Amino acid sequence: MALKKFTLIFTVLCLSLASTFSAKALDWRIAFGAHDIIVEQADSHTLGVGATFSLSHLTQSNILLIGSVDVFVDHDKDKLDPDHIPIWFSSNFRVKGELIRLSADSAFQWEVEASSRRNTVSSVEKQLKLFPGIGYEYDTKNFFAAVKVGAGYYFLEIDDDVPRMRGYDRGDFQNQTGAYTLAADTRFSLGSSFELSAKIQHWNDGSEWLENRYSVALNYAANTWVEDSVFVVSVEHTEYNLDPYAKVAVDDPDYLPILPWDKDTLVRVYIDMPWDF
């Protein structure tokens, strides 16, 4: 109950902060592109198209507001989930500010991040992460590096169709727990037009790992196509720990994981551009 209240308060706070600015005061962007969701353990490739709507704003008190919502439409020919509706969503919202400025290029930061996924082809029915944290950032014109630690709430619900075929019931589909996260990311320029970025993040409930995510992206400043636009090729690989869902001990001969796969990879190619109202 306390967590639900905190989630509601955080959501209302973000909406209240955003509502104090007109649409033109926010930096709105939109992206269009194609993707492939790879589930290697099932030899599955799911192609599709998608769009991302994002915004950012730096307040007068130097608090940075960042938000994005992704909408994906899949060509679901492999049917990993027999009843999958081939439209899925992800979102990420962050509020961050400076704690201690160490130099012109480095500082300690505070941050609250909320992220979610819904209805992926790899059987993630619903995922929610809410993590306040602190981190260190080093940022120059051509190089950025950051590390972060946070503690909060982790929730992952598996879609019901495949687990039911493996003997799992509705009460077995959810794992929700307090957890901590560790993250490190970097980006650096490759000449005047290209930028390479990479990130790794780990989630753990204190007794076992929950999820690992690795991502890399190559950005090309496509100003000759559309002013202030960026062409992006990105890869995001996620590993999930399915042991918390086990109905018997994982070393039991009768143990069968809730899913026959525990990782997926999202490959995207898209162009990101300003969105003027």
PDB file of all heavy atoms in Angstrom, residues 217-253:
ATOM      1  N   ALA A 217      24.439   2.081 -28.914  1.00  0.00           N
ATOM      2  CA  ALA A 217      23.785   2.837 -29.985  1.00  0.00           C
ATOM      3  C   ALA A 217      24.813   3.666 -30.736  1.00  0.00           C
ATOM      4  O   ALA A 217      25.752   4.211 -30.140  1.00  0.00           O
ATOM      5  CB  ALA A 217      22.685   3.742 -29.427  1.00  0.00           C
ATOM      6  N   LEU A 218      24.635   3.743 -32.039  1.00  0.00           N
ATOM      7  CA  LEU A 218      25.455   4.596 -32.892  1.00  0.00           C
ATOM      8  C   LEU A 218      24.555   5.679 -33.469  1.00  0.00           C
ATOM      9  O   LEU A 218      23.560   5.375 -34.139  1.00  0.00           O
ATOM     10  CB  LEU A 218      26.095   3.785 -34.022  1.00  0.00           C
ATOM     11  CG  LEU A 218      26.978   4.577 -34.997  1.00  0.00           C
ATOM     12  CD1 LEU A 218      28.181   5.186 -34.293  1.00  0.00           C
ATOM     13  CD2 LEU A 218      27.415   3.689 -36.167  1.00  0.00           C
ATOM     14  N   ASN A 219      24.888   6.937 -33.191  1.00  0.00           N
ATOM     15  CA  ASN A 219      24.098   8.083 -33.647  1.00  0.00           C
ATOM     16  C   ASN A 219      24.825   8.808 -34.764  1.00  0.00           C
ATOM     17  O   ASN A 219      26.046   9.016 -34.700  1.00  0.00           O
ATOM     18  CB  ASN A 219      23.860   9.074 -32.502  1.00  0.00           C
ATOM     19  CG  ASN A 219      23.050   8.483 -31.373  1.00  0.00           C
ATOM     20  OD1 ASN A 219      22.557   7.365 -31.472  1.00  0.00           O
ATOM     21  ND2 ASN A 219      22.917   9.216 -30.304  1.00  0.00           N
ATOM     22  N   TYR A 220      24.052   9.216 -35.762  1.00  0.00           N
ATOM     23  CA  TYR A 220      24.588  10.021 -36.857  1.00  0.00           C
ATOM     24  C   TYR A 220      23.791  11.322 -36.949  1.00  0.00           C
ATOM     25  O   TYR A 220      22.558  11.294 -37.044  1.00  0.00           O
ATOM     26  CB  TYR A 220      24.497   9.263 -38.186  1.00  0.00           C
ATOM     27  CG  TYR A 220      24.801  10.111 -39.399  1.00  0.00           C
ATOM     28  CD1 TYR A 220      26.088  10.584 -39.643  1.00  0.00           C
ATOM     29  CD2 TYR A 220      23.794  10.460 -40.298  1.00  0.00           C
ATOM     30  CE1 TYR A 220      26.369  11.367 -40.749  1.00  0.00           C
ATOM     31  CE2 TYR A 220      24.063  11.242 -41.406  1.00  0.00           C
ATOM     32  CZ  TYR A 220      25.360  11.694 -41.627  1.00  0.00           C
ATOM     33  OH  TYR A 220      25.634  12.481 -42.725  1.00  0.00           O
ATOM     34  N   ALA A 221      24.472  12.445 -36.871  1.00  0.00           N
ATOM     35  CA  ALA A 221      23.817  13.744 -36.970  1.00  0.00           C
ATOM     36  C   ALA A 221      23.376  13.978 -38.411  1.00  0.00           C
ATOM     37  O   ALA A 221      24.179  14.318 -39.279  1.00  0.00           O
ATOM     38  CB  ALA A 221      24.770  14.853 -36.520  1.00  0.00           C
ATOM     39  N   ALA A 222      22.071  13.776 -38.663  1.00  0.00           N
ATOM     40  CA  ALA A 222      21.532  13.788 -40.031  1.00  0.00           C
ATOM     41  C   ALA A 222      20.947  15.154 -40.367  1.00  0.00           C
ATOM     42  O   ALA A 222      19.822  15.248 -40.872  1.00  0.00           O
ATOM     43  CB  ALA A 222      20.493  12.689 -40.187  1.00  0.00           C
ATOM     44  N   ASN A 223      21.683  16.208 -40.099  1.00  0.00           N
ATOM     45  CA  ASN A 223      21.169  17.556 -40.330  1.00  0.00           C
ATOM     46  C   ASN A 223      20.913  17.853 -41.799  1.00  0.00           C
ATOM     47  O   ASN A 223      20.097  18.712 -42.133  1.00  0.00           O
ATOM     48  CB  ASN A 223      22.141  18.592 -39.759  1.00  0.00           C
ATOM     49  CG  ASN A 223      22.244  18.496 -38.237  1.00  0.00           C
ATOM     50  OD1 ASN A 223      21.242  18.328 -37.557  1.00  0.00           O
ATOM     51  ND2 ASN A 223      23.456  18.566 -37.708  1.00  0.00           N
ATOM     52  N   THR A 224      21.619  17.139 -42.666  1.00  0.00           N
ATOM     53  CA  THR A 224      21.389  17.351 -44.104  1.00  0.00           C
ATOM     54  C   THR A 224      20.045  16.769 -44.542  1.00  0.00           C
ATOM     55  O   THR A 224      19.538  17.137 -45.596  1.00  0.00           O
ATOM     56  CB  THR A 224      22.523  16.716 -44.928  1.00  0.00           C
ATOM     57  OG1 THR A 224      22.639  15.327 -44.579  1.00  0.00           O
ATOM     58  CG2 THR A 224      23.854  17.422 -44.644  1.00  0.00           C
ATOM     59  N   TRP A 225      19.475  15.855 -43.759  1.00  0.00           N
ATOM     60  CA  TRP A 225      18.168  15.283 -44.071  1.00  0.00           C
ATOM     61  C   TRP A 225      17.064  16.149 -43.475  1.00  0.00           C
ATOM     62  O   TRP A 225      16.204  16.641 -44.189  1.00  0.00           O
ATOM     63  CB  TRP A 225      18.054  13.861 -43.517  1.00  0.00           C
ATOM     64  CG  TRP A 225      19.123  12.918 -43.980  1.00  0.00           C
ATOM     65  CD1 TRP A 225      20.068  13.173 -44.946  1.00  0.00           C
ATOM     66  CD2 TRP A 225      19.383  11.618 -43.491  1.00  0.00           C
ATOM     67  NE1 TRP A 225      20.894  12.090 -45.093  1.00  0.00           N
ATOM     68  CE2 TRP A 225      20.496  11.104 -44.210  1.00  0.00           C
ATOM     69  CE3 TRP A 225      18.806  10.815 -42.517  1.00  0.00           C
ATOM     70  CZ2 TRP A 225      21.026   9.847 -43.993  1.00  0.00           C
ATOM     71  CZ3 TRP A 225      19.318   9.552 -42.298  1.00  0.00           C
ATOM     72  CH2 TRP A 225      20.410   9.075 -43.011  1.00  0.00           C
ATOM     73  N   VAL A 226      17.103  16.302 -42.141  1.00  0.00           N
ATOM     74  CA  VAL A 226      16.147  17.136 -41.416  1.00  0.00           C
ATOM     75  C   VAL A 226      16.942  17.896 -40.360  1.00  0.00           C
ATOM     76  O   VAL A 226      17.763  17.310 -39.657  1.00  0.00           O
ATOM     77  CB  VAL A 226      15.045  16.297 -40.748  1.00  0.00           C
ATOM     78  CG1 VAL A 226      14.086  17.196 -39.963  1.00  0.00           C
ATOM     79  CG2 VAL A 226      14.286  15.461 -41.766  1.00  0.00           C
ATOM     80  N   GLU A 227      16.693  19.179 -40.232  1.00  0.00           N
ATOM     81  CA  GLU A 227      17.448  19.990 -39.270  1.00  0.00           C
ATOM     82  C   GLU A 227      17.291  19.437 -37.852  1.00  0.00           C
ATOM     83  O   GLU A 227      16.203  19.111 -37.408  1.00  0.00           O
ATOM     84  CB  GLU A 227      16.963  21.439 -39.318  1.00  0.00           C
ATOM     85  CG  GLU A 227      17.786  22.377 -38.442  1.00  0.00           C
ATOM     86  CD  GLU A 227      17.336  23.821 -38.556  1.00  0.00           C
ATOM     87  OE1 GLU A 227      16.435  24.097 -39.388  1.00  0.00           O
ATOM     88  OE2 GLU A 227      17.882  24.660 -37.831  1.00  0.00           O
ATOM     89  N   ASP A 228      18.433  19.319 -37.163  1.00  0.00           N
ATOM     90  CA  ASP A 228      18.490  18.841 -35.784  1.00  0.00           C
ATOM     91  C   ASP A 228      17.967  17.414 -35.644  1.00  0.00           C
ATOM     92  O   ASP A 228      17.438  17.026 -34.604  1.00  0.00           O
ATOM     93  CB  ASP A 228      17.709  19.778 -34.857  1.00  0.00           C
ATOM     94  CG  ASP A 228      18.010  19.535 -33.381  1.00  0.00           C
ATOM     95  OD1 ASP A 228      19.109  19.028 -33.087  1.00  0.00           O
ATOM     96  OD2 ASP A 228      17.136  19.804 -32.549  1.00  0.00           O
ATOM     97  N   SER A 229      18.151  16.595 -36.677  1.00  0.00           N
ATOM     98  CA  SER A 229      17.709  15.209 -36.606  1.00  0.00           C
ATOM     99  C   SER A 229      18.899  14.283 -36.369  1.00  0.00           C
ATOM    100  O   SER A 229      20.051  14.635 -36.627  1.00  0.00           O
ATOM    101  CB  SER A 229      16.985  14.801 -37.896  1.00  0.00           C
ATOM    102  OG  SER A 229      17.869  14.813 -38.996  1.00  0.00           O
ATOM    103  N   VAL A 230      18.600  13.082 -35.854  1.00  0.00           N
ATOM    104  CA  VAL A 230      19.626  12.098 -35.548  1.00  0.00           C
ATOM    105  C   VAL A 230      19.165  10.745 -36.083  1.00  0.00           C
ATOM    106  O   VAL A 230      18.038  10.310 -35.814  1.00  0.00           O
ATOM    107  CB  VAL A 230      19.884  11.993 -34.029  1.00  0.00           C
ATOM    108  CG1 VAL A 230      21.003  10.997 -33.747  1.00  0.00           C
ATOM    109  CG2 VAL A 230      20.225  13.358 -33.434  1.00  0.00           C
ATOM    110  N   PHE A 231      20.036  10.078 -36.836  1.00  0.00           N
ATOM    111  CA  PHE A 231      19.773   8.722 -37.319  1.00  0.00           C
ATOM    112  C   PHE A 231      20.456   7.750 -36.352  1.00  0.00           C
ATOM    113  O   PHE A 231      21.643   7.896 -36.051  1.00  0.00           O
ATOM    114  CB  PHE A 231      20.307   8.540 -38.733  1.00  0.00           C
ATOM    115  CG  PHE A 231      20.091   7.167 -39.300  1.00  0.00           C
ATOM    116  CD1 PHE A 231      18.834   6.769 -39.712  1.00  0.00           C
ATOM    117  CD2 PHE A 231      21.144   6.262 -39.406  1.00  0.00           C
ATOM    118  CE1 PHE A 231      18.621   5.508 -40.237  1.00  0.00           C
ATOM    119  CE2 PHE A 231      20.952   5.008 -39.936  1.00  0.00           C
ATOM    120  CZ  PHE A 231      19.687   4.621 -40.350  1.00  0.00           C
ATOM    121  N   VAL A 232      19.700   6.788 -35.844  1.00  0.00           N
ATOM    122  CA  VAL A 232      20.184   5.932 -34.760  1.00  0.00           C
ATOM    123  C   VAL A 232      20.061   4.456 -35.130  1.00  0.00           C
ATOM    124  O   VAL A 232      19.030   4.020 -35.644  1.00  0.00           O
ATOM    125  CB  VAL A 232      19.401   6.194 -33.457  1.00  0.00           C
ATOM    126  CG1 VAL A 232      19.959   5.351 -32.306  1.00  0.00           C
ATOM    127  CG2 VAL A 232      19.413   7.678 -33.102  1.00  0.00           C
ATOM    128  N   VAL A 233      21.120   3.700 -34.842  1.00  0.00           N
ATOM    129  CA  VAL A 233      21.087   2.238 -34.875  1.00  0.00           C
ATOM    130  C   VAL A 233      21.407   1.771 -33.461  1.00  0.00           C
ATOM    131  O   VAL A 233      22.465   2.104 -32.917  1.00  0.00           O
ATOM    132  CB  VAL A 233      22.104   1.660 -35.869  1.00  0.00           C
ATOM    133  CG1 VAL A 233      22.053   0.136 -35.859  1.00  0.00           C
ATOM    134  CG2 VAL A 233      21.852   2.187 -37.270  1.00  0.00           C
ATOM    135  N   SER A 234      20.493   1.019 -32.842  1.00  0.00           N
ATOM    136  CA  SER A 234      20.688   0.623 -31.447  1.00  0.00           C
ATOM    137  C   SER A 234      20.398  -0.859 -31.246  1.00  0.00           C
ATOM    138  O   SER A 234      19.602  -1.468 -31.981  1.00  0.00           O
ATOM    139  CB  SER A 234      19.793   1.449 -30.517  1.00  0.00           C
ATOM    140  OG  SER A 234      18.429   1.136 -30.712  1.00  0.00           O
ATOM    141  N   VAL A 235      21.055  -1.438 -30.247  1.00  0.00           N
ATOM    142  CA  VAL A 235      20.843  -2.833 -29.844  1.00  0.00           C
ATOM    143  C   VAL A 235      20.700  -2.857 -28.328  1.00  0.00           C
ATOM    144  O   VAL A 235      21.537  -2.304 -27.612  1.00  0.00           O
ATOM    145  CB  VAL A 235      22.018  -3.732 -30.270  1.00  0.00           C
ATOM    146  CG1 VAL A 235      21.754  -5.175 -29.836  1.00  0.00           C
ATOM    147  CG2 VAL A 235      22.244  -3.661 -31.773  1.00  0.00           C
ATOM    148  N   GLU A 236      19.638  -3.491 -27.851  1.00  0.00           N
ATOM    149  CA  GLU A 236      19.389  -3.600 -26.408  1.00  0.00           C
ATOM    150  C   GLU A 236      19.117  -5.062 -26.072  1.00  0.00           C
ATOM    151  O   GLU A 236      18.133  -5.648 -26.533  1.00  0.00           O
ATOM    152  CB  GLU A 236      18.207  -2.730 -26.012  1.00  0.00           C
ATOM    153  CG  GLU A 236      17.903  -2.732 -24.521  1.00  0.00           C
ATOM    154  CD  GLU A 236      16.748  -1.811 -24.175  1.00  0.00           C
ATOM    155  OE1 GLU A 236      15.588  -2.282 -24.282  1.00  0.00           O
ATOM    156  OE2 GLU A 236      16.993  -0.636 -23.844  1.00  0.00           O
ATOM    157  N   HIS A 237      19.994  -5.647 -25.267  1.00  0.00           N
ATOM    158  CA  HIS A 237      19.888  -7.068 -24.896  1.00  0.00           C
ATOM    159  C   HIS A 237      19.528  -7.167 -23.422  1.00  0.00           C
ATOM    160  O   HIS A 237      20.184  -6.562 -22.570  1.00  0.00           O
ATOM    161  CB  HIS A 237      21.217  -7.782 -25.166  1.00  0.00           C
ATOM    162  CG  HIS A 237      21.215  -9.224 -24.761  1.00  0.00           C
ATOM    163  ND1 HIS A 237      20.548 -10.187 -25.477  1.00  0.00           N
ATOM    164  CD2 HIS A 237      21.797  -9.867 -23.702  1.00  0.00           C
ATOM    165  CE1 HIS A 237      20.715 -11.364 -24.900  1.00  0.00           C
ATOM    166  NE2 HIS A 237      21.468 -11.193 -23.817  1.00  0.00           N
ATOM    167  N   THR A 238      18.476  -7.937 -23.110  1.00  0.00           N
ATOM    168  CA  THR A 238      17.993  -8.066 -21.739  1.00  0.00           C
ATOM    169  C   THR A 238      17.975  -9.530 -21.328  1.00  0.00           C
ATOM    170  O   THR A 238      17.505 -10.386 -22.085  1.00  0.00           O
ATOM    171  CB  THR A 238      16.580  -7.479 -21.593  1.00  0.00           C
ATOM    172  OG1 THR A 238      16.567  -6.138 -22.082  1.00  0.00           O
ATOM    173  CG2 THR A 238      16.150  -7.476 -20.135  1.00  0.00           C
ATOM    174  N   GLU A 239      18.476  -9.797 -20.118  1.00  0.00           N
ATOM    175  CA  GLU A 239      18.446 -11.134 -19.534  1.00  0.00           C
ATOM    176  C   GLU A 239      17.570 -11.094 -18.287  1.00  0.00           C
ATOM    177  O   GLU A 239      17.711 -10.202 -17.439  1.00  0.00           O
ATOM    178  CB  GLU A 239      19.857 -11.588 -19.142  1.00  0.00           C
ATOM    179  CG  GLU A 239      20.837 -11.628 -20.309  1.00  0.00           C
ATOM    180  CD  GLU A 239      22.263 -11.886 -19.851  1.00  0.00           C
ATOM    181  OE1 GLU A 239      22.531 -11.784 -18.626  1.00  0.00           O
ATOM    182  OE2 GLU A 239      23.102 -12.181 -20.701  1.00  0.00           O
ATOM    183  N   TYR A 240      16.657 -12.056 -18.154  1.00  0.00           N
ATOM    184  CA  TYR A 240      15.743 -12.126 -17.015  1.00  0.00           C
ATOM    185  C   TYR A 240      16.049 -13.367 -16.177  1.00  0.00           C
ATOM    186  O   TYR A 240      16.306 -14.454 -16.723  1.00  0.00           O
ATOM    187  CB  TYR A 240      14.289 -12.204 -17.497  1.00  0.00           C
ATOM    188  CG  TYR A 240      13.877 -11.097 -18.434  1.00  0.00           C
ATOM    189  CD1 TYR A 240      13.927 -11.271 -19.813  1.00  0.00           C
ATOM    190  CD2 TYR A 240      13.422  -9.883 -17.946  1.00  0.00           C
ATOM    191  CE1 TYR A 240      13.541 -10.256 -20.688  1.00  0.00           C
ATOM    192  CE2 TYR A 240      13.028  -8.863 -18.798  1.00  0.00           C
ATOM    193  CZ  TYR A 240      13.100  -9.065 -20.172  1.00  0.00           C
ATOM    194  OH  TYR A 240      12.717  -8.060 -21.029  1.00  0.00           O
ATOM    195  N   ASN A 241      15.976 -13.222 -14.870  1.00  0.00           N
ATOM    196  CA  ASN A 241      16.108 -14.367 -13.977  1.00  0.00           C
ATOM    197  C   ASN A 241      14.714 -14.932 -13.719  1.00  0.00           C
ATOM    198  O   ASN A 241      13.867 -14.269 -13.102  1.00  0.00           O
ATOM    199  CB  ASN A 241      16.769 -13.943 -12.663  1.00  0.00           C
ATOM    200  CG  ASN A 241      16.964 -15.119 -11.724  1.00  0.00           C
ATOM    201  OD1 ASN A 241      16.785 -16.275 -12.096  1.00  0.00           O
ATOM    202  ND2 ASN A 241      17.332 -14.828 -10.484  1.00  0.00           N
ATOM    203  N   LEU A 242      14.459 -16.143 -14.174  1.00  0.00           N
ATOM    204  CA  LEU A 242      13.142 -16.763 -14.021  1.00  0.00           C
ATOM    205  C   LEU A 242      13.024 -17.612 -12.763  1.00  0.00           C
ATOM    206  O   LEU A 242      11.943 -18.121 -12.473  1.00  0.00           O
ATOM    207  CB  LEU A 242      12.841 -17.627 -15.250  1.00  0.00           C
ATOM    208  CG  LEU A 242      12.837 -16.902 -16.607  1.00  0.00           C
ATOM    209  CD1 LEU A 242      12.479 -17.874 -17.725  1.00  0.00           C
ATOM    210  CD2 LEU A 242      11.892 -15.715 -16.600  1.00  0.00           C
ATOM    211  N   ASP A 243      14.107 -17.759 -11.988  1.00  0.00           N
ATOM    212  CA  ASP A 243      14.059 -18.598 -10.789  1.00  0.00           C
ATOM    213  C   ASP A 243      13.028 -18.135  -9.760  1.00  0.00           C
ATOM    214  O   ASP A 243      12.429 -18.979  -9.080  1.00  0.00           O
ATOM    215  CB  ASP A 243      15.438 -18.670 -10.138  1.00  0.00           C
ATOM    216  CG  ASP A 243      16.441 -19.465 -10.973  1.00  0.00           C
ATOM    217  OD1 ASP A 243      16.013 -20.073 -11.977  1.00  0.00           O
ATOM    218  OD2 ASP A 243      17.638 -19.457 -10.633  1.00  0.00           O
ATOM    219  N   PRO A 244      12.789 -16.814  -9.565  1.00  0.00           N
ATOM    220  CA  PRO A 244      11.786 -16.406  -8.565  1.00  0.00           C
ATOM    221  C   PRO A 244      10.382 -16.928  -8.842  1.00  0.00           C
ATOM    222  O   PRO A 244       9.535 -16.928  -7.932  1.00  0.00           O
ATOM    223  CB  PRO A 244      11.827 -14.872  -8.638  1.00  0.00           C
ATOM    224  CG  PRO A 244      13.201 -14.550  -9.107  1.00  0.00           C
ATOM    225  CD  PRO A 244      13.522 -15.639 -10.085  1.00  0.00           C
ATOM    226  N   TYR A 245      10.099 -17.369 -10.074  1.00  0.00           N
ATOM    227  CA  TYR A 245       8.776 -17.877 -10.407  1.00  0.00           C
ATOM    228  C   TYR A 245       8.648 -19.384 -10.155  1.00  0.00           C
ATOM    229  O   TYR A 245       7.563 -19.941 -10.317  1.00  0.00           O
ATOM    230  CB  TYR A 245       8.461 -17.600 -11.879  1.00  0.00           C
ATOM    231  CG  TYR A 245       8.495 -16.141 -12.239  1.00  0.00           C
ATOM    232  CD1 TYR A 245       9.672 -15.547 -12.705  1.00  0.00           C
ATOM    233  CD2 TYR A 245       7.372 -15.337 -12.105  1.00  0.00           C
ATOM    234  CE1 TYR A 245       9.709 -14.196 -13.024  1.00  0.00           C
ATOM    235  CE2 TYR A 245       7.404 -13.984 -12.418  1.00  0.00           C
ATOM    236  CZ  TYR A 245       8.584 -13.429 -12.875  1.00  0.00           C
ATOM    237  OH  TYR A 245       8.627 -12.086 -13.189  1.00  0.00           O
ATOM    238  N   ALA A 246       9.737 -20.040  -9.785  1.00  0.00           N
ATOM    239  CA  ALA A 246       9.755 -21.503  -9.690  1.00  0.00           C
ATOM    240  C   ALA A 246       8.752 -22.009  -8.663  1.00  0.00           C
ATOM    241  O   ALA A 246       8.641 -21.472  -7.550  1.00  0.00           O
ATOM    242  CB  ALA A 246      11.160 -21.983  -9.330  1.00  0.00           C
ATOM    243  N   LYS A 247       8.018 -23.062  -9.028  1.00  0.00           N
ATOM    244  CA  LYS A 247       7.047 -23.683  -8.120  1.00  0.00           C
ATOM    245  C   LYS A 247       7.703 -24.758  -7.272  1.00  0.00           C
ATOM    246  O   LYS A 247       7.172 -25.147  -6.240  1.00  0.00           O
ATOM    247  CB  LYS A 247       5.890 -24.281  -8.923  1.00  0.00           C
ATOM    248  CG  LYS A 247       5.140 -23.268  -9.771  1.00  0.00           C
ATOM    249  CD  LYS A 247       3.995 -23.891 -10.534  1.00  0.00           C
ATOM    250  CE  LYS A 247       2.911 -24.390  -9.621  1.00  0.00           C
ATOM    251  NZ  LYS A 247       1.721 -24.875 -10.355  1.00  0.00           N
ATOM    252  N   VAL A 248       8.841 -25.262  -7.735  1.00  0.00           N
ATOM    253  CA  VAL A 248       9.637 -26.232  -6.976  1.00  0.00           C
ATOM    254  C   VAL A 248      11.072 -25.732  -6.970  1.00  0.00           C
ATOM    255  O   VAL A 248      11.412 -24.760  -7.654  1.00  0.00           O
ATOM    256  CB  VAL A 248       9.547 -27.645  -7.608  1.00  0.00           C
ATOM    257  CG1 VAL A 248       8.103 -28.157  -7.601  1.00  0.00           C
ATOM    258  CG2 VAL A 248      10.094 -27.638  -9.030  1.00  0.00           C
ATOM    259  N   ALA A 249      11.929 -26.366  -6.218  1.00  0.00           N
ATOM    260  CA  ALA A 249      13.337 -25.977  -6.185  1.00  0.00           C
ATOM    261  C   ALA A 249      13.934 -26.085  -7.585  1.00  0.00           C
ATOM    262  O   ALA A 249      13.629 -27.027  -8.346  1.00  0.00           O
ATOM    263  CB  ALA A 249      14.105 -26.863  -5.212  1.00  0.00           C
ATOM    264  N   VAL A 250      14.771 -25.119  -7.940  1.00  0.00           N
ATOM    265  CA  VAL A 250      15.304 -25.079  -9.304  1.00  0.00           C
ATOM    266  C   VAL A 250      16.219 -26.261  -9.604  1.00  0.00           C
ATOM    267  O   VAL A 250      16.468 -26.579 -10.779  1.00  0.00           O
ATOM    268  CB  VAL A 250      16.040 -23.756  -9.569  1.00  0.00           C
ATOM    269  CG1 VAL A 250      15.074 -22.585  -9.488  1.00  0.00           C
ATOM    270  CG2 VAL A 250      17.195 -23.555  -8.592  1.00  0.00           C
ATOM    271  N   ASP A 251      16.745 -26.924  -8.568  1.00  0.00           N
ATOM    272  CA  ASP A 251      17.580 -28.109  -8.804  1.00  0.00           C
ATOM    273  C   ASP A 251      16.767 -29.403  -8.754  1.00  0.00           C
ATOM    274  O   ASP A 251      17.316 -30.501  -8.843  1.00  0.00           O
ATOM    275  CB  ASP A 251      18.734 -28.160  -7.804  1.00  0.00           C
ATOM    276  CG  ASP A 251      18.255 -28.136  -6.348  1.00  0.00           C
ATOM    277  OD1 ASP A 251      17.030 -28.004  -6.124  1.00  0.00           O
ATOM    278  OD2 ASP A 251      19.107 -28.251  -5.438  1.00  0.00           O
ATOM    279  N   ASP A 252      15.445 -29.270  -8.617  1.00  0.00           N
ATOM    280  CA  ASP A 252      14.561 -30.434  -8.630  1.00  0.00           C
ATOM    281  C   ASP A 252      14.458 -30.977 -10.051  1.00  0.00           C
ATOM    282  O   ASP A 252      14.338 -30.204 -11.010  1.00  0.00           O
ATOM    283  CB  ASP A 252      13.171 -30.024  -8.121  1.00  0.00           C
ATOM    284  CG  ASP A 252      12.260 -31.215  -7.870  1.00  0.00           C
ATOM    285  OD1 ASP A 252      11.931 -31.921  -8.849  1.00  0.00           O
ATOM    286  OD2 ASP A 252      11.863 -31.418  -6.714  1.00  0.00           O
ATOM    287  N   PRO A 253      14.500 -32.285 -10.247  1.00  0.00           N
ATOM    288  CA  PRO A 253      14.385 -32.857 -11.600  1.00  0.00           C
ATOM    289  C   PRO A 253      13.096 -32.471 -12.313  1.00  0.00           C
ATOM    290  O   PRO A 253      13.037 -32.476 -13.543  1.00  0.00           O
ATOM    291  CB  PRO A 253      14.444 -34.370 -11.351  1.00  0.00           C
ATOM    292  CG  PRO A 253      15.136 -34.523 -10.039  1.00  0.00           C
ATOM    293  CD  PRO A 253      14.740 -33.325  -9.230  1.00  0.00           C
TER     294      PRO A 253
END
